[in-house]
Amino acid sequence: MKKIGVVGGGHVGATTAQRLAEKELCEEVVLIDILEGVPMGKALDQWQSAPVELFDTRITGANDYAAAEGAEMFIVTAGKPRTPGMSRDDLVSANVNIVKSVSEQIKKVAPDSIVIVVSNPLDVMCYVAKEVTGFPKERVVGMAGILDTARFRAFLADAADVSVEDIQAMVLGGHGDSMVPLISYTNVSGIPITKFVGAEDLEAIVKRTRGGGGEIVKLLGTGSAYYAPSAGAVQMADAIIKNKKRILPCSSWLEGEYGMKDLFVGVPCKLGENGVEKIIEVDLSTDEQAALVKSGEAVKEVMDIVNL
Ligand code: NAD
């Protein structure tokens, strides 16, 4: 890939740019922010790590989207993060206008690009990006499920005393407190997780996963997580750029899948060169299906207050 635009040069955006470059996933990363000087300064600093980290990806910074003209992919991280006591949904009024203006610019300079949204409230910001760009559903996708699943996997690996690499899991639903970790699809190298972790511990891990973002917000005091979120966004970029056809939990536009339509919610997606190439519908227990629909309803409630 030649060019990726990363919009928002804050914690998530700058870390994403650095990870993209260190993996040499494209020839140029353009870091865009409204702050004067900041994206240029960060990009210069990051580019100067190239001779040490050994990458040839060029990182540039800009305030103007002209620098990202023709980019094949955008990763949107612009917007306010949470502060202690806030839910992701509390960010909606501040971030709708930001993601709206970002999407208008993307549409202008790169009408054929694939957009990975990270800004919160995630599922609703995906909706804003899709509506404003007018891009087909395959080309607008949100990062949240990989992060929620990574948190779940990390906690499980710890409890089971096994490598994180061997934990397979999937957290579906909206990126909020109603997310749905699928215990029945969670395993250690194919062996059911229940062989390794008892019911009580599993329940505690599900609870900690649901509050995983909030736990970090509270500890940081200002701002929210960015190392794991940027890793999640870059894993999606990697799957798309290399046409890997990976099955990853991503926020995707539903048109009847899982009994829901006209909203973004986290579901298992096949990611390849065309973006979201397929939504995989897995069998869910009655409780899981009900929890997923409830999570979708929570997303809809916030969507309903958005005026585009
Ligand atoms: P941050 O405050 O460090 O950075 C946000 C950046 O966006 C700032 O530099 C700001 O100047 C910039 N910005 C604001 N308006 C802009 C615009 N119109 N155009 C371009 N840039 C603009 O915040 P952060 O920690 O990087 O988080 C960014 C967003 O990502 C937040 O909304 C946060 O809630 C979200 N987030 C999502 C997930 C997820 O799982 N989806 C995880 C972590 C953070």
Side-chain angles (χ1 to χ4, degrees):
M1 190 167 272
K2 277 201 170 349
K3 207 186 272 186
I4 300 179
V6 176
V7 188
H11 286 99
V12 179
T15 319
T16 298
Q18 182 78 22
R19 289 191 194 281
L20 290 169
E22 287 182 0
K23 289 180 187 285
E24 290 190 319
L25 287 179
C26 56
E27 290 173 30
E28 184 183 359
V29 177
V30 184
L31 188 62
I32 300 175
D33 202 290
I34 45 169
L35 298 176
E36 226 171 279
V38 172
M40 296 76 158
K42 287 193 182 178
L44 197 56
D45 184 16
Q46 292 180 316
W47 175 56
Q48 289 166 0
S49 71
V52 182
E53 290 295 335
L54 303 176
F55 59 83
D56 279 313
T57 295
R58 184 67 195 252
I59 311 179
T60 57
N63 295 128
D64 190 336
Y65 285 75
E69 176 108 42
E72 294 109 305
M73 179 182 284
F74 276 88
I75 301 180
V76 177
T77 75
K80 299 233 174 316
R82 285 197 280 171
T83 49
M86 265 183 133
S87 84
R88 294 176 181 91
D89 293 346
D90 293 337
L91 296 168
V92 70
S93 55
N95 288 350
V96 159
N97 288 331
I98 293 175
V99 173
K100 201 172 155 189
S101 82
V102 168
S103 304
E104 280 161 0
Q105 298 293 330
I106 290 175
K107 184 184 178 180
K108 249 187 239 163
V109 300
D112 298 323
S113 58
I114 292 176
V115 180
I116 298 174
V117 179
V118 182
S119 311
N120 270 322
L122 190 270
D123 308 280
V124 179
M125 292 305 113
C126 289
Y127 162 69
V128 172
K130 181 178 174 296
E131 286 299 298
V132 175
T133 57
F135 288 2
K137 62 180 177 144
E138 296 77 17
R139 289 203 277 121
V140 180
V141 58
M143 192 297 297
I146 295 177
L147 171 65
D148 297 329
T149 305
R151 287 178 174 148
F152 190 45
R153 289 169 63 199
F155 299 148
L156 287 172
D158 206 25
D161 192 26
V162 299
S163 165
V164 286
E165 291 176 31
D166 292 334
I167 306 271
Q168 288 289 334
M170 193 74 87
V171 178
L172 305 185
H175 185 46
D177 302 340
S178 60
M179 65 180 80
V180 188
L182 299 182
I183 303 286
S184 51
Y185 288 92
T186 304
N187 67 70
V188 183
S189 294
I191 306 160
I193 189 67
T194 44
K195 270 260 179 224
F196 295 82
V197 183
E200 215 170 279
D201 288 344
L202 265 178
E203 203 176 306
I205 287 171
V206 165
K207 190 159 175 246
R208 190 174 179 198
T209 301
R210 290 206 171 106
E215 183 179 355
I216 292 171
V217 168
K218 199 165 164 212
L219 287 166
L220 292 178
T222 125
S224 54
Y226 53 101
Y227 292 112
S230 56
V234 171
Q235 184 173 60
M236 289 170 68
D238 180 75
I240 293 168
I241 292 164
K242 296 181 184 157
N243 193 22
K244 285 173 84 92
K245 318 278 185 197
R246 290 206 63 179
I247 308 296
L248 296 167
C250 305
S251 183
S252 187
W253 183 251
L254 301 187
E255 289 178 343
E257 298 89 347
Y258 291 99
M260 291 181 275
K261 65 188 285 241
D262 299 338
L263 79 168
F264 277 87
V265 161
V267 289
C269 294
K270 187 196 278 186
L271 292 189
E273 61 186 344
N274 302 308
V276 178
E277 299 191 345
K278 196 175 176 170
I279 291 171
I280 316 291
E281 286 193 84
V282 298
D283 294 335
L284 297 179
S285 68
T286 315
D287 284 355
E288 287 167 341
Q289 175 65 27
L292 191 57
V293 168
K294 194 161 164 235
S295 185
E297 281 163 4
V299 172
K300 275 261 189 194
E301 260 174 46
V302 184
M303 263 172 83
D304 285 346
I305 58 167
V306 168
N307 221 335
L308 290 176

